[in-house]
PDB file of all heavy atoms in Angstrom:
ATOM      1  N   ALA A 297      38.626  90.482-151.832  1.00  0.00           N
ATOM      2  CA  ALA A 297      38.140  89.115-151.644  1.00  0.00           C
ATOM      3  C   ALA A 297      37.392  88.618-152.877  1.00  0.00           C
ATOM      4  O   ALA A 297      37.598  87.476-153.328  1.00  0.00           O
ATOM      5  CB  ALA A 297      37.241  89.056-150.412  1.00  0.00           C
ATOM      6  N   ARG A 298      36.536  89.450-153.442  1.00  0.00           N
ATOM      7  CA  ARG A 298      35.794  89.032-154.633  1.00  0.00           C
ATOM      8  C   ARG A 298      36.704  88.878-155.849  1.00  0.00           C
ATOM      9  O   ARG A 298      36.393  88.100-156.763  1.00  0.00           O
ATOM     10  CB  ARG A 298      34.675  90.032-154.926  1.00  0.00           C
ATOM     11  CG  ARG A 298      33.532  89.975-153.923  1.00  0.00           C
ATOM     12  CD  ARG A 298      32.383  90.889-154.298  1.00  0.00           C
ATOM     13  NE  ARG A 298      31.299  90.749-153.335  1.00  0.00           N
ATOM     14  CZ  ARG A 298      31.211  91.441-152.209  1.00  0.00           C
ATOM     15  NH1 ARG A 298      32.144  92.349-151.918  1.00  0.00           N
ATOM     16  NH2 ARG A 298      30.204  91.249-151.375  1.00  0.00           N
ATOM     17  N   TYR A 299      37.809  89.580-155.852  1.00  0.00           N
ATOM     18  CA  TYR A 299      38.746  89.503-156.972  1.00  0.00           C
ATOM     19  C   TYR A 299      39.577  88.221-156.933  1.00  0.00           C
ATOM     20  O   TYR A 299      39.984  87.710-157.984  1.00  0.00           O
ATOM     21  CB  TYR A 299      39.676  90.725-156.953  1.00  0.00           C
ATOM     22  CG  TYR A 299      40.435  90.946-158.227  1.00  0.00           C
ATOM     23  CD1 TYR A 299      39.832  91.555-159.333  1.00  0.00           C
ATOM     24  CD2 TYR A 299      41.766  90.564-158.348  1.00  0.00           C
ATOM     25  CE1 TYR A 299      40.528  91.773-160.518  1.00  0.00           C
ATOM     26  CE2 TYR A 299      42.479  90.765-159.524  1.00  0.00           C
ATOM     27  CZ  TYR A 299      41.848  91.375-160.608  1.00  0.00           C
ATOM     28  OH  TYR A 299      42.543  91.575-161.787  1.00  0.00           O
ATOM     29  N   VAL A 300      39.811  87.676-155.740  1.00  0.00           N
ATOM     30  CA  VAL A 300      40.751  86.551-155.623  1.00  0.00           C
ATOM     31  C   VAL A 300      40.117  85.234-155.191  1.00  0.00           C
ATOM     32  O   VAL A 300      40.754  84.192-155.314  1.00  0.00           O
ATOM     33  CB  VAL A 300      41.892  86.889-154.626  1.00  0.00           C
ATOM     34  CG1 VAL A 300      42.585  88.193-154.996  1.00  0.00           C
ATOM     35  CG2 VAL A 300      41.390  86.942-153.183  1.00  0.00           C
ATOM     36  N   TYR A 301      38.879  85.241-154.692  1.00  0.00           N
ATOM     37  CA  TYR A 301      38.373  84.063-153.987  1.00  0.00           C
ATOM     38  C   TYR A 301      38.322  82.812-154.851  1.00  0.00           C
ATOM     39  O   TYR A 301      38.436  81.674-154.345  1.00  0.00           O
ATOM     40  CB  TYR A 301      36.981  84.341-153.393  1.00  0.00           C
ATOM     41  CG  TYR A 301      35.834  84.193-154.368  1.00  0.00           C
ATOM     42  CD1 TYR A 301      35.126  83.000-154.481  1.00  0.00           C
ATOM     43  CD2 TYR A 301      35.467  85.246-155.198  1.00  0.00           C
ATOM     44  CE1 TYR A 301      34.086  82.868-155.382  1.00  0.00           C
ATOM     45  CE2 TYR A 301      34.430  85.127-156.096  1.00  0.00           C
ATOM     46  CZ  TYR A 301      33.744  83.936-156.189  1.00  0.00           C
ATOM     47  OH  TYR A 301      32.706  83.797-157.083  1.00  0.00           O
ATOM     48  N   GLN A 302      38.170  82.963-156.162  1.00  0.00           N
ATOM     49  CA  GLN A 302      38.069  81.795-157.038  1.00  0.00           C
ATOM     50  C   GLN A 302      39.370  81.015-157.133  1.00  0.00           C
ATOM     51  O   GLN A 302      39.374  79.883-157.627  1.00  0.00           O
ATOM     52  CB  GLN A 302      37.592  82.225-158.423  1.00  0.00           C
ATOM     53  CG  GLN A 302      36.120  82.646-158.435  1.00  0.00           C
ATOM     54  CD  GLN A 302      35.638  83.074-159.807  1.00  0.00           C
ATOM     55  OE1 GLN A 302      36.371  83.742-160.536  1.00  0.00           O
ATOM     56  NE2 GLN A 302      34.423  82.698-160.150  1.00  0.00           N
ATOM     57  N   GLU A 303      40.461  81.591-156.659  1.00  0.00           N
ATOM     58  CA  GLU A 303      41.712  80.843-156.613  1.00  0.00           C
ATOM     59  C   GLU A 303      41.616  79.651-155.655  1.00  0.00           C
ATOM     60  O   GLU A 303      42.278  78.631-155.854  1.00  0.00           O
ATOM     61  CB  GLU A 303      42.870  81.754-156.178  1.00  0.00           C
ATOM     62  CG  GLU A 303      43.169  82.900-157.126  1.00  0.00           C
ATOM     63  CD  GLU A 303      43.694  82.428-158.461  1.00  0.00           C
ATOM     64  OE1 GLU A 303      44.557  81.521-158.466  1.00  0.00           O
ATOM     65  OE2 GLU A 303      43.228  82.950-159.488  1.00  0.00           O
ATOM     66  N   ASN A 304      40.801  79.801-154.612  1.00  0.00           N
ATOM     67  CA  ASN A 304      40.597  78.728-153.637  1.00  0.00           C
ATOM     68  C   ASN A 304      39.297  78.992-152.888  1.00  0.00           C
ATOM     69  O   ASN A 304      39.311  79.406-151.725  1.00  0.00           O
ATOM     70  CB  ASN A 304      41.777  78.657-152.660  1.00  0.00           C
ATOM     71  CG  ASN A 304      41.711  77.442-151.739  1.00  0.00           C
ATOM     72  OD1 ASN A 304      40.688  76.753-151.684  1.00  0.00           O
ATOM     73  ND2 ASN A 304      42.784  77.179-151.015  1.00  0.00           N
ATOM     74  N   PRO A 305      38.146  78.763-153.551  1.00  0.00           N
ATOM     75  CA  PRO A 305      36.866  79.046-152.896  1.00  0.00           C
ATOM     76  C   PRO A 305      36.632  78.223-151.631  1.00  0.00           C
ATOM     77  O   PRO A 305      35.900  78.640-150.739  1.00  0.00           O
ATOM     78  CB  PRO A 305      35.829  78.724-153.979  1.00  0.00           C
ATOM     79  CG  PRO A 305      36.545  77.885-154.979  1.00  0.00           C
ATOM     80  CD  PRO A 305      37.969  78.293-154.927  1.00  0.00           C
ATOM     81  N   GLU A 306      37.273  77.050-151.546  1.00  0.00           N
ATOM     82  CA  GLU A 306      37.101  76.228-150.344  1.00  0.00           C
ATOM     83  C   GLU A 306      37.621  76.943-149.102  1.00  0.00           C
ATOM     84  O   GLU A 306      37.063  76.787-148.012  1.00  0.00           O
ATOM     85  CB  GLU A 306      37.817  74.883-150.519  1.00  0.00           C
ATOM     86  CG  GLU A 306      37.156  73.967-151.528  1.00  0.00           C
ATOM     87  CD  GLU A 306      37.845  72.621-151.615  1.00  0.00           C
ATOM     88  OE1 GLU A 306      38.090  72.011-150.549  1.00  0.00           O
ATOM     89  OE2 GLU A 306      38.148  72.182-152.741  1.00  0.00           O
ATOM     90  N   ARG A 307      38.703  77.719-149.256  1.00  0.00           N
ATOM     91  CA  ARG A 307      39.258  78.444-148.112  1.00  0.00           C
ATOM     92  C   ARG A 307      38.273  79.499-147.626  1.00  0.00           C
ATOM     93  O   ARG A 307      38.050  79.661-146.428  1.00  0.00           O
ATOM     94  CB  ARG A 307      40.591  79.096-148.508  1.00  0.00           C
ATOM     95  CG  ARG A 307      41.342  79.733-147.342  1.00  0.00           C
ATOM     96  CD  ARG A 307      41.761  78.698-146.330  1.00  0.00           C
ATOM     97  NE  ARG A 307      42.637  79.240-145.311  1.00  0.00           N
ATOM     98  CZ  ARG A 307      42.960  78.587-144.205  1.00  0.00           C
ATOM     99  NH1 ARG A 307      42.481  77.371-143.979  1.00  0.00           N
ATOM    100  NH2 ARG A 307      43.773  79.122-143.317  1.00  0.00           N
ATOM    101  N   PHE A 308      37.693  80.229-148.561  1.00  0.00           N
ATOM    102  CA  PHE A 308      36.700  81.227-148.200  1.00  0.00           C
ATOM    103  C   PHE A 308      35.439  80.580-147.639  1.00  0.00           C
ATOM    104  O   PHE A 308      34.786  81.138-146.747  1.00  0.00           O
ATOM    105  CB  PHE A 308      36.366  82.109-149.405  1.00  0.00           C
ATOM    106  CG  PHE A 308      37.312  83.255-149.599  1.00  0.00           C
ATOM    107  CD1 PHE A 308      38.484  83.087-150.325  1.00  0.00           C
ATOM    108  CD2 PHE A 308      37.043  84.503-149.056  1.00  0.00           C
ATOM    109  CE1 PHE A 308      39.369  84.142-150.503  1.00  0.00           C
ATOM    110  CE2 PHE A 308      37.923  85.563-149.226  1.00  0.00           C
ATOM    111  CZ  PHE A 308      39.091  85.382-149.956  1.00  0.00           C
ATOM    112  N   ALA A 309      35.092  79.401-148.139  1.00  0.00           N
ATOM    113  CA  ALA A 309      33.928  78.688-147.611  1.00  0.00           C
ATOM    114  C   ALA A 309      34.179  78.238-146.174  1.00  0.00           C
ATOM    115  O   ALA A 309      33.281  78.297-145.316  1.00  0.00           O
ATOM    116  CB  ALA A 309      33.603  77.491-148.495  1.00  0.00           C
ATOM    117  N   GLN A 310      35.403  77.789-145.890  1.00  0.00           N
ATOM    118  CA  GLN A 310      35.760  77.414-144.519  1.00  0.00           C
ATOM    119  C   GLN A 310      35.615  78.610-143.591  1.00  0.00           C
ATOM    120  O   GLN A 310      35.092  78.500-142.476  1.00  0.00           O
ATOM    121  CB  GLN A 310      37.195  76.890-144.478  1.00  0.00           C
ATOM    122  CG  GLN A 310      37.689  76.539-143.075  1.00  0.00           C
ATOM    123  CD  GLN A 310      39.135  76.065-143.056  1.00  0.00           C
ATOM    124  OE1 GLN A 310      39.590  75.401-143.990  1.00  0.00           O
ATOM    125  NE2 GLN A 310      39.869  76.408-141.999  1.00  0.00           N
ATOM    126  N   PHE A 311      36.093  79.761-144.043  1.00  0.00           N
ATOM    127  CA  PHE A 311      35.965  81.006-143.280  1.00  0.00           C
ATOM    128  C   PHE A 311      34.488  81.306-143.007  1.00  0.00           C
ATOM    129  O   PHE A 311      34.105  81.639-141.876  1.00  0.00           O
ATOM    130  CB  PHE A 311      36.621  82.126-144.079  1.00  0.00           C
ATOM    131  CG  PHE A 311      36.308  83.519-143.625  1.00  0.00           C
ATOM    132  CD1 PHE A 311      36.925  84.068-142.512  1.00  0.00           C
ATOM    133  CD2 PHE A 311      35.402  84.314-144.326  1.00  0.00           C
ATOM    134  CE1 PHE A 311      36.661  85.368-142.106  1.00  0.00           C
ATOM    135  CE2 PHE A 311      35.130  85.607-143.931  1.00  0.00           C
ATOM    136  CZ  PHE A 311      35.747  86.137-142.810  1.00  0.00           C
ATOM    137  N   ALA A 312      33.657  81.196-144.028  1.00  0.00           N
ATOM    138  CA  ALA A 312      32.229  81.497-143.888  1.00  0.00           C
ATOM    139  C   ALA A 312      31.562  80.588-142.862  1.00  0.00           C
ATOM    140  O   ALA A 312      30.763  81.036-142.025  1.00  0.00           O
ATOM    141  CB  ALA A 312      31.537  81.357-145.240  1.00  0.00           C
ATOM    142  N   THR A 313      31.912  79.319-142.911  1.00  0.00           N
ATOM    143  CA  THR A 313      31.280  78.340-142.026  1.00  0.00           C
ATOM    144  C   THR A 313      31.802  78.443-140.594  1.00  0.00           C
ATOM    145  O   THR A 313      31.026  78.467-139.634  1.00  0.00           O
ATOM    146  CB  THR A 313      31.515  76.919-142.566  1.00  0.00           C
ATOM    147  OG1 THR A 313      30.915  76.808-143.864  1.00  0.00           O
ATOM    148  CG2 THR A 313      30.899  75.877-141.638  1.00  0.00           C
ATOM    149  N   ASN A 314      33.112  78.529-140.437  1.00  0.00           N
ATOM    150  CA  ASN A 314      33.701  78.467-139.099  1.00  0.00           C
ATOM    151  C   ASN A 314      33.681  79.793-138.350  1.00  0.00           C
ATOM    152  O   ASN A 314      33.776  79.814-137.123  1.00  0.00           O
ATOM    153  CB  ASN A 314      35.134  77.950-139.186  1.00  0.00           C
ATOM    154  CG  ASN A 314      35.190  76.496-139.609  1.00  0.00           C
ATOM    155  OD1 ASN A 314      34.160  75.826-139.701  1.00  0.00           O
ATOM    156  ND2 ASN A 314      36.379  75.994-139.885  1.00  0.00           N
ATOM    157  N   VAL A 315      33.562  80.914-139.076  1.00  0.00           N
ATOM    158  CA  VAL A 315      33.512  82.216-138.411  1.00  0.00           C
ATOM    159  C   VAL A 315      32.084  82.738-138.315  1.00  0.00           C
ATOM    160  O   VAL A 315      31.685  83.301-137.294  1.00  0.00           O
ATOM    161  CB  VAL A 315      34.415  83.235-139.146  1.00  0.00           C
ATOM    162  CG1 VAL A 315      34.295  84.629-138.513  1.00  0.00           C
ATOM    163  CG2 VAL A 315      35.872  82.776-139.103  1.00  0.00           C
ATOM    164  N   PHE A 316      31.296  82.521-139.381  1.00  0.00           N
ATOM    165  CA  PHE A 316      29.940  83.086-139.404  1.00  0.00           C
ATOM    166  C   PHE A 316      28.836  82.034-139.366  1.00  0.00           C
ATOM    167  O   PHE A 316      27.655  82.363-139.523  1.00  0.00           O
ATOM    168  CB  PHE A 316      29.768  83.961-140.646  1.00  0.00           C
ATOM    169  CG  PHE A 316      30.523  85.262-140.577  1.00  0.00           C
ATOM    170  CD1 PHE A 316      31.697  85.438-141.305  1.00  0.00           C
ATOM    171  CD2 PHE A 316      30.073  86.296-139.774  1.00  0.00           C
ATOM    172  CE1 PHE A 316      32.406  86.626-141.236  1.00  0.00           C
ATOM    173  CE2 PHE A 316      30.777  87.497-139.697  1.00  0.00           C
ATOM    174  CZ  PHE A 316      31.946  87.667-140.437  1.00  0.00           C
ATOM    175  N   ASP A 317      29.204  80.765-139.173  1.00  0.00           N
ATOM    176  CA  ASP A 317      28.216  79.680-139.056  1.00  0.00           C
ATOM    177  C   ASP A 317      27.317  79.574-140.282  1.00  0.00           C
ATOM    178  O   ASP A 317      26.126  79.237-140.173  1.00  0.00           O
ATOM    179  CB  ASP A 317      27.353  79.862-137.794  1.00  0.00           C
ATOM    180  CG  ASP A 317      28.174  79.798-136.522  1.00  0.00           C
ATOM    181  OD1 ASP A 317      29.098  78.975-136.456  1.00  0.00           O
ATOM    182  OD2 ASP A 317      27.915  80.594-135.603  1.00  0.00           O
ATOM    183  N   ILE A 318      27.850  79.858-141.455  1.00  0.00           N
ATOM    184  CA  ILE A 318      27.098  79.724-142.693  1.00  0.00           C
ATOM    185  C   ILE A 318      27.199  78.275-143.157  1.00  0.00           C
ATOM    186  O   ILE A 318      28.305  77.756-143.348  1.00  0.00           O
ATOM    187  CB  ILE A 318      27.632  80.677-143.774  1.00  0.00           C
ATOM    188  CG1 ILE A 318      27.444  82.130-143.332  1.00  0.00           C
ATOM    189  CG2 ILE A 318      26.962  80.429-145.126  1.00  0.00           C
ATOM    190  CD1 ILE A 318      28.133  83.139-144.211  1.00  0.00           C
ATOM    191  N   PRO A 319      26.057  77.572-143.341  1.00  0.00           N
ATOM    192  CA  PRO A 319      26.111  76.165-143.768  1.00  0.00           C
ATOM    193  C   PRO A 319      26.838  76.019-145.098  1.00  0.00           C
ATOM    194  O   PRO A 319      26.699  76.850-146.000  1.00  0.00           O
ATOM    195  CB  PRO A 319      24.635  75.778-143.905  1.00  0.00           C
ATOM    196  CG  PRO A 319      23.897  76.766-143.066  1.00  0.00           C
ATOM    197  CD  PRO A 319      24.679  78.047-143.161  1.00  0.00           C
ATOM    198  N   CYS A 320      27.615  74.972-145.209  1.00  0.00           N
ATOM    199  CA  CYS A 320      28.397  74.742-146.426  1.00  0.00           C
ATOM    200  C   CYS A 320      28.051  73.380-147.010  1.00  0.00           C
ATOM    201  O   CYS A 320      28.216  72.350-146.358  1.00  0.00           O
ATOM    202  CB  CYS A 320      29.894  74.810-146.128  1.00  0.00           C
ATOM    203  SG  CYS A 320      30.919  74.611-147.605  1.00  0.00           S
ATOM    204  N   GLY A 321      27.552  73.382-148.244  1.00  0.00           N
ATOM    205  CA  GLY A 321      27.303  72.136-148.952  1.00  0.00           C
ATOM    206  C   GLY A 321      28.428  71.874-149.925  1.00  0.00           C
ATOM    207  O   GLY A 321      29.610  71.990-149.592  1.00  0.00           O
ATOM    208  N   THR A 322      28.083  71.564-151.156  1.00  0.00           N
ATOM    209  CA  THR A 322      29.097  71.276-152.174  1.00  0.00           C
ATOM    210  C   THR A 322      29.402  72.495-153.036  1.00  0.00           C
ATOM    211  O   THR A 322      30.361  72.481-153.810  1.00  0.00           O
ATOM    212  CB  THR A 322      28.633  70.126-153.073  1.00  0.00           C
ATOM    213  OG1 THR A 322      27.365  70.472-153.666  1.00  0.00           O
ATOM    214  CG2 THR A 322      28.484  68.839-152.267  1.00  0.00           C
ATOM    215  N   ASP A 323      28.598  73.540-152.904  1.00  0.00           N
ATOM    216  CA  ASP A 323      28.808  74.751-153.697  1.00  0.00           C
ATOM    217  C   ASP A 323      29.704  75.713-152.913  1.00  0.00           C
ATOM    218  O   ASP A 323      29.237  76.613-152.221  1.00  0.00           O
ATOM    219  CB  ASP A 323      27.474  75.413-154.026  1.00  0.00           C
ATOM    220  CG  ASP A 323      27.600  76.511-155.070  1.00  0.00           C
ATOM    221  OD1 ASP A 323      28.733  77.003-155.256  1.00  0.00           O
ATOM    222  OD2 ASP A 323      26.583  76.886-155.680  1.00  0.00           O
ATOM    223  N   PHE A 324      31.010  75.498-153.034  1.00  0.00           N
ATOM    224  CA  PHE A 324      31.957  76.299-152.261  1.00  0.00           C
ATOM    225  C   PHE A 324      31.929  77.775-152.675  1.00  0.00           C
ATOM    226  O   PHE A 324      32.099  78.654-151.840  1.00  0.00           O
ATOM    227  CB  PHE A 324      33.375  75.744-152.424  1.00  0.00           C
ATOM    228  CG  PHE A 324      33.565  74.388-151.797  1.00  0.00           C
ATOM    229  CD1 PHE A 324      34.099  73.344-152.540  1.00  0.00           C
ATOM    230  CD2 PHE A 324      33.213  74.157-150.472  1.00  0.00           C
ATOM    231  CE1 PHE A 324      34.278  72.097-151.970  1.00  0.00           C
ATOM    232  CE2 PHE A 324      33.388  72.904-149.897  1.00  0.00           C
ATOM    233  CZ  PHE A 324      33.918  71.866-150.651  1.00  0.00           C
ATOM    234  N   GLU A 325      31.716  78.041-153.963  1.00  0.00           N
ATOM    235  CA  GLU A 325      31.703  79.428-154.413  1.00  0.00           C
ATOM    236  C   GLU A 325      30.542  80.200-153.785  1.00  0.00           C
ATOM    237  O   GLU A 325      30.703  81.352-153.358  1.00  0.00           O
ATOM    238  CB  GLU A 325      31.620  79.502-155.940  1.00  0.00           C
ATOM    239  CG  GLU A 325      32.906  79.080-156.630  1.00  0.00           C
ATOM    240  CD  GLU A 325      32.997  79.614-158.046  1.00  0.00           C
ATOM    241  OE1 GLU A 325      32.271  80.579-158.368  1.00  0.00           O
ATOM    242  OE2 GLU A 325      33.804  79.071-158.823  1.00  0.00           O
ATOM    243  N   LYS A 326      29.378  79.586-153.732  1.00  0.00           N
ATOM    244  CA  LYS A 326      28.210  80.237-153.121  1.00  0.00           C
ATOM    245  C   LYS A 326      28.473  80.535-151.651  1.00  0.00           C
ATOM    246  O   LYS A 326      28.169  81.634-151.152  1.00  0.00           O
ATOM    247  CB  LYS A 326      26.976  79.352-153.275  1.00  0.00           C
ATOM    248  CG  LYS A 326      25.710  79.942-152.677  1.00  0.00           C
ATOM    249  CD  LYS A 326      24.523  79.003-152.856  1.00  0.00           C
ATOM    250  CE  LYS A 326      23.261  79.581-152.213  1.00  0.00           C
ATOM    251  NZ  LYS A 326      22.111  78.641-152.386  1.00  0.00           N
ATOM    252  N   THR A 327      29.037  79.553-150.939  1.00  0.00           N
ATOM    253  CA  THR A 327      29.339  79.744-149.520  1.00  0.00           C
ATOM    254  C   THR A 327      30.426  80.800-149.331  1.00  0.00           C
ATOM    255  O   THR A 327      30.362  81.622-148.409  1.00  0.00           O
ATOM    256  CB  THR A 327      29.788  78.420-148.883  1.00  0.00           C
ATOM    257  OG1 THR A 327      28.815  77.406-149.157  1.00  0.00           O
ATOM    258  CG2 THR A 327      29.940  78.560-147.371  1.00  0.00           C
ATOM    259  N   ALA A 328      31.420  80.785-150.214  1.00  0.00           N
ATOM    260  CA  ALA A 328      32.503  81.777-150.137  1.00  0.00           C
ATOM    261  C   ALA A 328      31.947  83.188-150.259  1.00  0.00           C
ATOM    262  O   ALA A 328      32.284  84.077-149.465  1.00  0.00           O
ATOM    263  CB  ALA A 328      33.530  81.513-151.231  1.00  0.00           C
ATOM    264  N   LEU A 329      31.091  83.418-151.239  1.00  0.00           N
ATOM    265  CA  LEU A 329      30.507  84.748-151.440  1.00  0.00           C
ATOM    266  C   LEU A 329      29.628  85.151-150.259  1.00  0.00           C
ATOM    267  O   LEU A 329      29.599  86.323-149.859  1.00  0.00           O
ATOM    268  CB  LEU A 329      29.710  84.781-152.743  1.00  0.00           C
ATOM    269  CG  LEU A 329      30.550  84.767-154.026  1.00  0.00           C
ATOM    270  CD1 LEU A 329      29.659  84.547-155.249  1.00  0.00           C
ATOM    271  CD2 LEU A 329      31.334  86.057-154.163  1.00  0.00           C
TER     272      LEU A 329
END
Side-chain angles (χ1 to χ4, degrees):
R298 289 185 178 87
Y299 195 80
V300 306
Y301 82 94
Q302 289 180 320
E303 297 294 316
N304 188 349
E306 290 183 49
R307 187 64 172 169
F308 275 87
Q310 177 182 325
F311 166 78
T313 299
N314 292 352
V315 176
F316 288 105
D317 298 321
I318 297 170
C320 183
T322 57
D323 191 340
F324 292 128
E325 288 201 19
K326 180 180 178 181
T327 307
L329 288 170

